[in-house]
């Protein structure tokens, strides 16, 4: 008997040739085959009378061939076969291109079921329709699955392969959902679900099948993530004792918001709990996540631990260094002063926090000194880029790892940094506000803190969505902003022909040149793009930050790591090409100073959906509200970025539509695991095995 891990070439009716074709779709095992779900469906259950046909619709028609088919050659070396079909209500032309065999295979007087798209307003015709003799139907008279295909695989071939796969595993599918969960959430049995998701008996059966499979997928995901999280209960994290945070708070030139304080308390609670912290701190642009990280770094230093902060770009790493280094120096002096006032002559644990910067462009001598300091434990905080991941970077007492803009790294890189020590505390920062439920899925086994307040003084950025007809007024407005002493960002997407994108350097440089020569010849226009060397980028940004250029034309490289308080206007060209969350990130580059700031989204895209999306940006500055809209309009792709290493891919659940189902699945998983925390009870063994199979990269952690 076959098993679910059996290679598809051994399934009856598939064989070696089809197996090779299926492999192009990622289908190698029987489980892969039956889990290759349709992307859509066509309802071919109802036939329509010819008189009721409407141009442009896909329909089934039961009709008799009324004339012998004729074949003709047409320009271009092609052939055309024509015939006429009739029913009790009218007549219909049937046309085939490059299917000359139809002339002899269709016979006058025989009745067929045709399926295709109706063409012609007055005299209807079907071009290259699917057809089957009445009474011998396989592809009509039913709801038909439509699969994503690749070269060499047709819908018919894949449909037949899936049919053979389902027949082969009819007795093999274990129902991993506990009976009480299935009954409580009104879910069908697993065999019914697989049969009806591929070959539904009715629309209602399809809905039931899809709901069952999506629930199971989300339930398994939640169980796996909770088991991953529970492993931390058995691992000791870097030991930390509670210390007063008053010296840190007192040294700041501003007061933290309540949301920032809560995030700090969450993190300190984790770090003193005896297990490794694994926390995501997410908040809107400008919400003050860096200060939460600074508090954790200072807290770790007071406990004798080193910290590493990894940023996605050299610009952002340097910005963090320039912010945190003087702050930590001031905190060291503040601590010493407090100790003296209290009357202690010597108190160990309140040292000056020594900072270092390590990037790809760090000079060799500096790098050697930094590496020596890290290994010896005399450098308390190392801020850097991916350079922190290289093999020669070793820490004496690494206790805390902070990664900024997590969605730009992927879990595997975060894991590589954490391996520089034995189970260090992990703090992940993200300026992409994500609905909390979705964050728990995207970020796997991380706990989540949300900073949902902006510090006092952060102003609303007025946002406008405009068409090309407003271009002259926009240019006049930009000139006015510069004349008032302010600066402007202009962000361009990479726009190419078809699937080909132009060279990033040439595209942005050419646009900047046009602006400089034709639109703003009297202003200073500079260029920034991802193909520049790190030092070139830094020089451009330093020049812009110093006010030595008026307009910076850039790709989305400015999305993170640019803080220019004097910049008051962000213009986004072809704004429809960006997700709302990315537009919100770009908008966050302005509004950082005292002057009123603006964001202008330019788009000539005609669709109503585009106008509706961009309207969201003009209506709110709340990143969490925007992210929720993005989730509904575009799905979760914007949030995921790189595939998250170690987490299973969702095959049928849709996080844009199934949020309610996700909450149900999470609730059911929590309840089950509260009764059987490691799924060790015999009746839960199939569930545990399936979770391990899905989380194969991290399955060892679930033993």
């Amino acid at each position: 008997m076959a098993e679910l891990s059996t290679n598809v070439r051994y399934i009856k009716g598939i064989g070696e040739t089809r197996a090779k074709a299926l492999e192009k779709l990622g289908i190698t095992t029987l489980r892969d085959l039956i889990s290759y779900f349709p992307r859509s469906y066509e309802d071919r259950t109802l036939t329509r009378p010819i008189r009721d046909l409407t141009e442009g619709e896909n329909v089934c028609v039961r009709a008799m061939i009324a004339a012998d088919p004729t074949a003709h050659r047409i320009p271009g070396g092609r052939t055309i076969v024509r015939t006429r079909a009739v029913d009790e209500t009218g007549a219909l032309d049937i046309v085939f291109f490059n299917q000359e065999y139809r002339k002899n295979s269709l016979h006058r007087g025989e009745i067929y079921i045709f399926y295709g798209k109706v063409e012609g307003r007055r005299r209807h015709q079907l071009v290259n329709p699917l057809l089957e003799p009445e009474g011998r139907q396989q592809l009509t008279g039913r709801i038909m699955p439509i699969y994503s295909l690749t070269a060499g695989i047709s819908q018919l071939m894949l449909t037949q392969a899936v049919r053979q796969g389902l027949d082969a595993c009819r007795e093999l599918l274990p129902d991993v959902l506990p009976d009480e969960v299935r009954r409580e959430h009104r879910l069908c049995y697993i065999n019914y679900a697989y049969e009806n998701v591929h070959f539904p008996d009715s629309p209602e059966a399809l809905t039931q099948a899809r709901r069952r499979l999506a629930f199971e997928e989300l339930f398994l995901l939640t169980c796996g993530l909770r088991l991953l999280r529970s492993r931390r209960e058995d691992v000791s994290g870097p030991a930390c004792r509670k210390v007063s945070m008053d010296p840190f708070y007192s040294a700041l030139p501003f007061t933290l918001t309540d949301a920032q304080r809560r995030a700090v308390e969450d993190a300190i609670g984790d770090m003193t709990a005896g297990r490794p912290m694994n926390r995501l701190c997410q908040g809107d642009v400008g919400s003050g996540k860096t200060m939460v990280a600074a508090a954790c770094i200072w807290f770790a230093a007071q406990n004798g631990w080193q910290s590493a902060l990894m940023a996605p770009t050299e610009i952002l790493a340097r910005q963090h260094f320039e912010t945190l280094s003087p702050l930590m120096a001031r905190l060291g002096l503040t601590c010493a002063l407090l100790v003296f006032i209290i009357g202690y002559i010597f108190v160990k644990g309140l040292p000056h926090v020594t900072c270092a910067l390590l990037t790809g462009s760090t000079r060799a001598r500096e790098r050697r000194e930094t590496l020596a300091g890290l290994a010896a434990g005399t450098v308390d905080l190392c801020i850097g880029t991916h350079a922190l991941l290289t093999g020669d970077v070793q820490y004496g007492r690494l206790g805390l790892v902070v990664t900024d803009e997590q969605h730009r790294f992927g879990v595997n890189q975060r894991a590589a940094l954490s391996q520089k020590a034995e189970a260090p505390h992990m703090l992940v920062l993200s300026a992409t506000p994500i609905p909390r439920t979705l964050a728990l899925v995207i970020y796997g086994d991380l706990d989540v803190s949300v900073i949902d307040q902006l510090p006092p003084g952060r102003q609303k950025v007025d946002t406008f969505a405009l068409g090309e007809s407003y271009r002259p007024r926009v240019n006049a407005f930009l000139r006015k902003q510069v004349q008032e002493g302010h600066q402007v960002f202009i962000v361009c997407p990479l726009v190419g022909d078809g699937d080909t994108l132009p060279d990033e350097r040439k595209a942005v440089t050419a646009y900047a040149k046009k602006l400089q020569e034709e639109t703003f010849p009297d202003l200073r226009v500079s260029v920034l793009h991802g193909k520049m060397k790190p030092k070139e980028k830094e020089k451009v940004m330093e020049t812009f930050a110093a006010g030595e250029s008026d307009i910076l034309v850039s790709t989305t490289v400015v999305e993170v790591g640019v803080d220019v308080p004097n910049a008051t206007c962000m213009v986004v060209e072809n704004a429809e090409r960006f997700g709302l969350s990315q537009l919100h990130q770009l908008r966050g580059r302005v509004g950082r100073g005292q002057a009123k700031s603006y964001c202008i989204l330019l788009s000539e895209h005609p669709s109503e959906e585009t106008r509706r999306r961009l309207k969201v940006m003009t209506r709110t500055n709340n990143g969490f509200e925007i992210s929720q809209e993005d989730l509904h309009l575009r799905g979760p792709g914007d949030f995921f970025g790189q595939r998250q290493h170690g987490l299973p891919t969702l095959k049928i659940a849709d996080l844009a539509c199934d949020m309610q189902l996700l909450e149900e699945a999470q609730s059911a998983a929590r309840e089950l695991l509260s009764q059987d925390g490691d799924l060790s009870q015999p009746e839960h063994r199939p569930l545990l095995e399936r979770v391990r199979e899905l989380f194969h990269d991290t399955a060892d952690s679930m033993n």
Side-chain angles (χ1 to χ4, degrees):
M1 179 184 282
E3 296 181 355
L4 290 174
S5 58
T6 300
N7 192 292
V8 289
R9 69 176 178 272
Y10 299 120
I11 304 304
K12 182 181 177 182
I14 293 182
E16 195 77 36
T17 303
R18 281 191 177 181
K20 284 183 179 178
L22 291 171
E23 194 173 348
K24 298 175 187 174
L25 294 172
I27 298 172
T28 57
T29 68
L30 178 55
R31 186 184 287 282
D32 293 336
L33 179 60
I34 65 171
S35 299
Y36 194 78
F37 299 118
R39 62 175 171 81
S40 61
Y41 299 85
E42 289 179 349
D43 188 350
R44 303 177 185 173
T45 57
L46 299 176
T47 57
R48 296 277 297 281
I50 290 175
R51 72 180 173 202
D52 293 342
L53 299 183
T54 303
E55 183 185 17
E57 66 178 346
N58 290 303
V59 295
C60 274
V61 177
R62 176 186 178 275
M64 181 181 71
I65 299 293
D68 290 327
T70 59
H72 302 282
R73 291 280 176 186
I74 58 175
R78 296 185 299 166
T79 59
I80 183 171
V81 174
R82 288 183 179 274
T83 188
R84 192 86 166 143
V86 298
D87 67 4
E88 297 83 359
T89 68
L92 176 72
D93 287 332
I94 307 294
V95 180
F96 298 97
F97 287 99
N98 290 331
Q99 297 182 36
E100 194 169 356
Y101 68 92
R102 297 287 190 185
K103 179 178 182 296
N104 300 318
S105 65
L106 298 176
H107 305 288
R108 183 167 56 178
E110 290 188 355
I111 296 175
Y112 293 86
I113 307 298
F114 299 92
Y115 178 80
K117 187 174 183 178
V118 179
E119 298 185 11
R121 188 164 297 174
R122 293 181 181 174
R123 181 167 173 146
H124 293 317
Q125 65 177 14
L126 295 178
V127 177
N128 289 344
L130 181 153
L131 63 91
E132 295 178 308
E134 185 179 41
R136 288 185 282 158
Q137 294 135 262
Q138 286 184 304
L139 302 176
T140 57
R142 56 184 297 176
I143 298 173
M144 197 67 192
I146 304 299
Y147 299 94
S148 297
L149 303 175
T150 190
I153 298 182
S154 67
Q155 289 291 344
L156 180 60
M157 179 197 296
L158 191 50
T159 302
Q160 290 173 339
V162 171
R163 177 71 271 162
Q164 288 151 350
L166 287 173
D167 291 342
C169 69
R170 199 173 295 279
E171 306 300 323
L172 296 176
L173 286 170
D175 210 329
V176 298
L177 285 185
D179 283 342
E180 63 271 21
V181 172
R182 186 180 49 75
R183 285 194 298 268
E184 182 179 348
H185 294 276
R186 305 177 309 283
L187 301 168
C188 62
Y189 286 101
I190 193 66
N191 280 329
Y192 182 92
Y194 271 100
E195 179 68 29
N196 281 278
V197 82
H198 288 290
F199 305 108
D201 289 333
S202 66
E204 294 75 22
L206 173 58
T207 299
Q208 284 186 32
R210 192 198 165 281
R211 184 173 181 274
R212 158 62 203 249
L213 292 169
F215 182 98
E216 179 178 305
E217 192 168 51
L218 297 169
F219 181 83
L220 291 169
L221 179 66
T222 304
C223 285
L225 295 177
R226 290 186 71 83
L227 288 172
L228 283 174
R229 189 175 290 124
S230 70
R231 71 182 174 172
R232 303 202 308 270
E233 305 293 335
D234 303 323
V235 177
S236 296
C240 293
R241 71 190 189 287
K242 288 194 175 181
V243 300
S244 172
M245 294 300 293
D246 289 343
F248 177 83
Y249 295 139
S250 300
L252 298 177
F254 46 79
T255 303
L256 294 188
T257 64
D258 291 342
Q260 285 174 301
R261 291 256 190 161
R262 282 196 303 272
V264 172
E265 287 165 10
D266 287 345
I268 289 175
D270 290 346
M271 295 169 77
T272 55
R275 65 177 190 275
M277 172 172 70
N278 223 10
R279 182 165 291 277
L280 166 69
C281 177
Q282 63 160 347
D284 219 334
V285 177
S287 61
K289 298 176 297 298
T290 304
M291 284 303 105
V292 173
C296 295
I297 290 164
W298 184 82
F299 178 80
Q302 307 319 302
N303 279 279
W305 296 105
Q306 293 170 297
S307 298
L309 191 162
M310 184 164 69
T313 66
E314 196 157 319
I315 295 171
L316 186 53
R318 184 170 295 280
Q319 183 177 306
H320 278 315
F321 180 75
E322 290 170 354
T323 299
L324 294 178
S325 186
L327 173 62
M328 293 303 169
R330 188 161 67 246
L331 281 163
L333 293 172
T334 303
C335 295
L337 181 61
L338 283 172
V339 169
F340 178 75
I341 291 171
I342 292 170
Y344 289 96
I345 297 173
F346 177 77
V347 175
K348 189 176 181 181
L350 290 177
H352 168 80
V353 180
T354 308
C355 302
L357 179 67
L358 192 62
T359 68
S361 60
T362 301
R363 291 177 180 173
R365 181 180 172 183
E366 264 182 81
R367 182 179 177 84
R368 284 194 301 271
E369 291 173 355
T370 299
L371 294 181
L374 288 172
T378 56
V379 172
D380 302 300
L381 168 62
C382 189
I383 299 169
T385 55
H386 293 81
L388 296 180
L389 299 176
T390 57
D392 59 345
V393 181
Q394 300 297 326
Y395 298 82
R397 282 177 60 80
L398 181 61
L400 172 64
V401 171
V402 181
T403 56
D404 197 1
E405 293 300 331
Q406 160 66 10
H407 69 289
R408 291 175 170 258
F409 288 116
V411 174
N412 53 339
Q413 289 167 308
R414 173 160 58 86
L417 184 55
S418 70
Q419 287 165 9
K420 296 290 184 180
E422 188 174 339
H425 297 299
M426 294 286 302
L427 179 67
V428 174
L429 308 179
S430 176
T432 305
I434 301 170
R436 183 183 176 85
T437 320
L438 182 58
L440 293 173
V441 175
I442 293 176
Y443 291 106
D445 61 338
L446 276 69
D447 299 308
V448 179
S449 291
V450 176
I451 304 179
D452 52 7
Q453 287 175 287
L454 289 180
R458 280 291 288 185
Q459 57 173 289
K460 177 179 179 290
V461 178
D462 287 350
T463 305
F464 305 91
L466 305 174
E468 190 61 33
S469 62
Y470 282 83
R471 176 77 63 178
R473 292 169 65 179
V474 169
N475 289 340
F477 179 74
L478 299 185
R479 182 179 296 282
K480 184 170 181 288
Q481 288 292 301
V482 173
Q483 288 170 347
E484 291 176 359
H486 304 304
Q487 292 165 280
V488 174
F489 289 109
I490 298 180
V491 173
C492 310
L494 295 183
V495 183
D497 297 322
D499 296 327
T500 305
L501 288 176
D503 180 88
E504 178 179 329
R505 178 178 60 255
K506 291 179 181 176
V508 180
T509 303
Y511 184 66
K513 183 179 179 184
K514 182 179 178 183
L515 282 177
Q516 178 73 84
E517 294 178 354
E518 299 177 17
T519 312
F520 302 114
D522 53 329
L523 303 183
R524 299 166 298 175
V525 179
S526 54
V527 182
L528 182 70
H529 55 75
K531 295 289 180 67
M532 287 178 165
K533 293 177 181 177
K535 287 187 178 178
E536 289 178 305
K537 291 181 192 173
E538 282 185 46
K539 186 175 180 182
V540 171
M541 278 314 307
E542 285 169 4
T543 300
F544 188 65
E548 295 173 19
S549 65
D550 304 309
I551 297 174
L552 177 62
V553 180
S554 173
T555 56
T556 55
V557 71
V558 301
E559 183 184 346
V560 293
V562 181
D563 190 0
V564 184
N566 193 47
T568 57
C569 191
M570 166 65 70
V571 178
V572 183
E573 301 279 357
N574 300 103
E576 77 280 355
R577 293 176 175 266
F578 299 91
L580 295 182
S581 295
Q582 192 174 26
L583 290 174
H584 183 61
Q585 288 277 314
L586 291 168
R587 177 168 62 184
R589 296 305 102 205
V590 297
R592 292 171 169 252
Q594 299 301 311
K596 182 65 188 164
S597 295
Y598 308 87
C599 178
I600 299 172
L601 308 175
L602 290 168
S603 174
E604 274 296 286
H605 202 277
S607 80
E608 181 60 37
E609 182 187 343
T610 295
R611 285 194 289 271
R612 190 168 66 249
R613 285 180 59 243
L614 297 182
K615 185 86 171 172
V616 174
M617 295 295 298
T618 67
R619 192 176 67 237
T620 180
N621 272 241
N622 185 310
F624 289 94
E625 186 180 335
I626 288 167
S627 71
Q628 191 67 52
E629 287 287 338
D630 223 0
L631 184 62
H632 287 306
L633 292 169
R634 282 168 63 104
D638 261 14
F639 301 113
F640 278 90
Q642 280 183 294
R643 160 96 166 86
Q644 295 299 292
H645 175 77
L647 299 185
T649 304
L650 296 178
K651 293 185 176 181
I652 195 166
D654 180 355
L655 291 173
C657 306
D658 293 329
M659 294 302 284
Q660 179 61 44
L661 199 62
L662 173 60
E663 289 171 10
E664 281 189 51
Q666 288 177 324
S667 174
R670 280 195 301 270
E671 186 174 343
L672 180 69
L673 290 171
S674 69
Q675 301 164 14
D676 183 11
D678 56 0
L679 299 179
S680 59
Q681 294 177 14
E683 63 269 29
H684 297 150
R685 189 71 189 175
L687 173 60
L688 179 60
E689 290 301 325
R690 184 68 184 126
V691 170
R692 283 178 172 165
E693 188 180 335
L694 285 171
F695 285 74
H696 57 86
D697 287 334
T698 45
D700 291 343
S701 305
M702 298 179 191
N703 291 326

